[in-house]
Amino acid sequence: MARRPFIAGNWKMNKGPNEADELARELKSALAGNTAVDVAVAPPSISIPAVAARLQHTGIQVAAQDLHPQVSGAFTGQISGEMIRQLGVAYALCGHSERRALFGDTDVIVNAKVKAAFRAGLLPVLCVGETLEQRDGGQVEAVIEAQLSGGLEGLEADQVAAVTLAYEPVWAIGTGRTASPAQAQEVHAFIRGWLGRYPDYVARTVRIQYGGSVKPGNAAELLAQPDIDGALVGGAALNAESFAAIVAAATA
Ligand code: PGA
C-alpha cells in the first residue's frame, strides 16, 4: 500500500498570534481542495491557539515545534506535550537541527521528547540530519544511524511505525542549498533499510520527509523519489501560495 504524502510547515520563530491567524486563514482557502495529502503546520507555541481554532475542521493539522519531556513541574519557560494536546495539536517535532545545535538537544533528550509525545497522545516527527563537516568526512550514515537508534530507543514497533521521520541535512536548512533528489533518496533509502530491524510493516509504513530549502520549484522532483514521502518545509511554509504549491507537488 502506498504511503500517503505528508507535507509539514515549520514556521520556526515567525508569526505571532495575529500574523499566524492571517496565514492560517490564507492556508485554509489555498488548501481547501486538498484531499490527497496529509498537511500540518507548526506555529510558535504562543500562536497555536489561534491557528488551531482557525484550522478546525479543515483537515490541516497543527504541530508543536518542541515539547518538554516532563508532564509538569518547575521547568521555567517550558511547555509539556499534555498542555499542547489540550489545544487539539496532532504532531510534535522532536530533534529539529536547530534544537540540537542551539538548545543542546542530545539524542537522549530527543528520545525523551519522542516518548513524551506518545505519552501525551501526539505523533512525533523525529528530525535527523548531518552537518556539512560530517558529510565531507564520510560520516552521513553513522550520524543518521546514531540519531535514529538514539531517538527511537525503547519504542515498541507499533510506535516506530507511527513516527514520521524527517531527513534534514543541516547544510541544506535555510541555505537555499538543497540536497539533489539522488542525494536525498540515497539517505532516505538508507533510513528505510535501517528500519528493517523492526517487523516488515514498519519500514513499509514509516513516512520519511525530506527537509532543507524545499521550494515550489524543487519539490516535485524530490517528492518523486521512491523513499521520499513528504517534506518538512521552513522558509517556503511562511507563504500560503508557496506552501500550497508544495502540497500540490506531492500529488503529481
Ligand atoms: P528551510 O527549513 O525549508 O527553510 O530550509 C527546513 C527546516 O528547518 O525544517
Side-chain angles (χ1 to χ4, degrees):
M1 203 181 68
R3 292 175 293 274
R4 196 175 149 84
F6 179 19
I7 306 291
N10 175 9
W11 296 0
K12 307 192 179 182
M13 198 173 79
N14 298 291
K15 309 287 179 189
N18 297 342
E19 306 87 62
D21 182 51
E22 175 65 19
L23 178 53
R25 204 178 51 73
E26 291 168 8
L27 284 172
K28 186 173 168 174
S29 81
L31 293 171
N34 169 57
T35 50
V37 180
D38 286 349
V39 177
V41 294
S45 53
I46 196 162
S47 302
I48 288 178
V51 172
R54 179 65 69 184
L55 296 180
Q56 241 187 348
H57 311 304
T58 62
I60 305 172
Q61 301 292 334
V62 180
Q65 295 178 15
D66 187 36
L67 75 170
H68 190 275
Q70 301 294 323
V71 178
S72 62
F75 302 102
T76 301
Q78 298 298 295
I79 298 170
S80 72
E82 282 74 7
M83 296 172 183
I84 293 162
R85 184 68 196 139
Q86 288 179 24
L87 298 171
V89 169
Y91 298 96
L93 306 188
C94 299
H96 187 277
S97 69
E98 285 149 20
R99 297 289 326 165
R100 294 177 189 264
L102 304 173
F103 302 101
D105 282 16
T106 60
D107 287 323
V108 170
I109 293 171
V110 173
N111 180 241
K113 291 182 174 185
V114 168
K115 289 174 175 162
F118 278 118
R119 184 193 64 220
L122 300 164
L123 292 171
V125 178
L126 171 61
C127 306
V128 300
E130 82 286 357
T131 63
L132 190 55
E133 200 181 12
Q134 289 164 334
R135 175 164 282 263
D136 289 344
Q139 294 169 280
V140 176
E141 294 187 355
V143 169
I144 303 297
E145 168 141 46
Q147 291 173 339
L148 288 173
S149 59
L152 299 173
E153 217 272 314
L155 295 189
E156 305 293 334
D158 279 357
Q159 290 179 311
V160 177
V163 170
T164 298
L165 296 174
Y167 169 57
E168 300 202 296
V170 177
W171 47 272
I173 295 179
T175 58
R177 197 177 149 190
T178 335
S180 69
Q183 267 176 330
Q185 166 59 25
E186 189 180 6
V187 180
H188 281 237
F190 170 76
I191 293 172
R192 204 168 306 282
W194 185 89
L195 291 169
R197 70 199 49 223
Y198 297 100
D200 283 358
Y201 73 93
V202 175
R204 278 201 309 273
T205 308
V206 170
R207 292 186 292 191
I208 311 174
Q209 298 174 321
Y210 169 79
S213 299
V214 176
K215 310 275 180 240
N218 61 24
E221 54 174 4
L222 286 160
L223 293 164
Q225 299 298 312
D227 290 297
I228 300 184
D229 306 310
L232 181 53
V233 184
L238 294 174
N239 174 280
E241 206 181 313
S242 62
F243 188 66
I246 294 169
V247 172
T251 60

